[in-house]
Amino acid sequence: MNAVTKKIILSGMRPTGRLHLGHLAGALNNWVRFQDEYECFFMIADWHALMSEYEKPSDIRKNSLEIVKDWVSCGIDADRSVIFVQSMVPEHLELAMVFSVLTPLGWLERCTTYKEQLREIKGRMLATYGFLGYPVLQAADIALYNADMVPVGVDQLPHLELAREIIRRFHGLYKSRIFTEPEPMLSKTSRLIGLDNRKMSKSYGNFISLSDSRETVRKKVHSMYTDPKRTRADVPGRVKGNPVFIYHDLFNPDTDEVEDLKKRYRAGKVGDVEVKEKLTTALNNFLDPIRRKRAALSEEDAQRIIKEGAGRAREAAGRTMAKVKKCLHQI
Ligand code: TRP
């Protein structure tokens, strides 16, 4: 397939911390594969991060560069895909502004993710004009590159639907069809469970980072939740839904070892320590190549990648903005 006929994919992550295994299992592994088939734009959504972190924005820049390193060490290829930082492409704010004038307030106020976050996120003042407009900026992110598909988790579906509605409203108002209506692309893998059996999340501190050391991984694995009814090694245990075995299934390539552990676990013939030690080894083997790639990437490498990425992104974004301005009789 040549570049002209390739479909376009855009996705993004907010730089609010280091990436963890959940990001890899739920998103990054797929992104790496998409690169063979699609023209990919991978964006670090630092303006979106600012919307929730504006009271303490000091880590956003640092996190952005760390995420670039995480992406590249997991196999995102800066030559084939465009890796860029949202704030380095000013067209995002320009188009978001245009979209904001035609987005009815009710659409935003009714947005379920918005209502949920206002309710759930404590200790931060999120009842702001900017945060209400979160999906407007996201719609601009997607529309600027005429993305055909947007790989996201289910939590983002309301934003995708809003993006489609905003685009349709633009087309209707200006009798033009300059944008592509994006389709969501849901990941087939379900969310990775956290170390403590709750959902894996930065705020719960129950994750393994892609940049954790071997020893940290060991400590974290040994703190993992298992079958709570199993008080001793000779008590038969439950394998199904047990985080230690979910991780073994995902990250331990030695399926014979995993089957043997499961059998002995069910029969009460293996201790948690052995199961966890083997998982530590499997996870560290899995993470080692990622760690090696990461160690070879300097701060300057990351800077260079986002600078080049911004140049390539601006070419596409600039073309779209020129069409938008034409529609609005501004040029
Ligand atoms: N809102 C997304 C999230 O929190 C991040 C994001 C911003 C995004 N802009 C995007 C995702 C555009 C896909 C497309 O995960």
Side-chain angles (χ1 to χ4, degrees):
M1 244 197 278
N2 62 37
V4 184
T5 55
K6 272 187 178 175
K7 293 217 171 195
I8 298 171
I9 275 192
L10 178 131
S11 198
M13 288 187 191
R14 286 173 309 126
T16 53
R18 293 284 182 94
L19 299 192
H20 51 60
L21 285 178
H23 294 110
L24 185 69
L28 275 181
N29 275 340
N30 293 330
W31 292 14
V32 169
R33 277 200 306 276
F34 294 152
Q35 299 180 109
D36 298 330
E37 221 180 308
Y38 304 104
E39 187 179 342
C40 296
F41 291 86
F42 298 122
M43 181 187 76
I44 292 169
D46 59 343
W47 286 138
H48 279 112
L50 187 65
M51 289 176 184
S52 57
E53 313 297 310
Y54 67 92
E55 287 159 313
K56 190 180 165 291
S58 51
D59 289 339
I60 296 177
R61 177 80 189 160
K62 188 182 87 225
N63 287 335
S64 297
L65 290 168
E66 292 301 328
I67 288 183
V68 170
K69 291 191 199 171
D70 283 332
W71 284 359
V72 173
S73 46
C74 288
I76 304 290
D77 176 353
D79 291 329
R80 282 194 292 165
S81 301
V82 182
I83 296 177
F84 71 101
V85 174
Q86 190 182 36
S87 68
M88 291 169 74
V89 182
E91 286 82 358
H92 288 257
L93 295 187
E94 261 192 289
L95 185 56
M97 193 278 153
V98 171
F99 281 172
S100 77
V101 303
L102 55 88
T103 305
L105 273 177
W107 291 4
L108 300 171
E109 285 161 349
R110 273 195 301 273
C111 180
T112 47
T113 44
Y114 173 71
K115 288 193 289 191
E116 190 184 299
Q117 304 225 10
L118 276 195
R119 224 177 26 241
E120 300 269 319
I121 301 180
K122 300 273 182 297
R124 287 187 216 186
M125 211 296 277
L126 290 181
T128 61
Y129 165 66
F131 196 66
L132 179 68
Y134 187 111
V136 178
L137 178 58
Q138 187 162 346
D141 298 339
I142 298 165
L144 269 181
Y145 303 94
N146 282 305
D148 297 286
M149 279 156 317
V150 183
V152 283
V154 271
D155 60 314
Q156 294 293 311
L157 289 179
H159 293 167
L160 253 289
E161 199 40 51
L162 262 174
R164 293 161 57 87
E165 270 165 337
I166 292 171
I167 286 172
R168 275 187 228 129
R169 183 154 159 80
F170 184 102
H171 287 165
L173 282 167
Y174 308 115
K175 310 282 175 279
S176 73
R177 305 215 115 254
I178 64 176
F179 299 115
T180 307
E181 273 189 36
E183 299 283 346
M185 214 176 173
L186 280 181
S187 158
K188 285 188 200 76
T189 40
S190 49
R191 248 195 136 100
L192 183 63
I193 194 81
L195 302 173
D196 58 357
N197 203 35
R198 291 187 289 172
K199 82 170 202 210
M200 187 177 277
S201 147
K202 186 177 74 101
S203 46
Y204 293 158
N206 59 356
F207 55 85
I208 292 178
S209 296
L210 299 179
S211 49
D212 276 345
S213 70
R214 303 190 112 239
E215 194 42 39
T216 305
V217 168
R218 184 163 187 278
K219 282 207 194 98
K220 287 186 175 174
V221 169
H222 279 273
S223 77
M224 269 177 92
Y225 176 100
T226 56
D227 180 348
K229 294 212 187 74
R230 201 165 172 262
T231 44
R232 288 198 326 256
D234 56 2
V235 177
R238 251 178 86 89
V239 163
K240 197 162 180 287
N242 186 331
V244 191
F245 286 101
I246 295 176
Y247 280 56
H248 262 297
D249 280 335
L250 283 170
F251 298 104
N252 189 346
D254 187 347
T255 45
D256 290 342
E257 177 175 278
V258 176
E259 283 318 305
D260 172 62
L261 286 174
K262 285 182 180 171
K263 218 164 77 203
R264 285 158 59 213
Y265 196 84
R266 287 195 194 97
K269 288 202 161 73
V270 64
D272 273 13
V273 174
E274 184 183 340
V275 178
K276 289 180 169 177
E277 223 15 74
K278 293 205 157 114
L279 179 59
T280 302
T281 307
L283 277 173
N284 276 328
N285 288 343
F286 174 83
L287 287 171
D288 272 342
I290 299 176
R291 291 186 180 114
R292 272 197 297 277
K293 273 200 179 170
R294 193 172 217 288
L297 284 168
S298 66
E299 198 74 7
E300 290 72 45
D301 292 331
Q303 302 268 16
R304 186 177 36 76
I305 288 170
I306 55 173
K307 192 157 169 259
E308 277 175 22
R312 289 160 72 192
R314 285 203 74 175
E315 265 179 46
R319 274 196 302 274
T320 305
M321 255 341 272
K323 286 191 212 159
V324 170
K325 288 186 175 166
K326 220 165 164 187
C327 275
L328 301 173
H329 305 283
Q330 303 220 311
I331 47 174

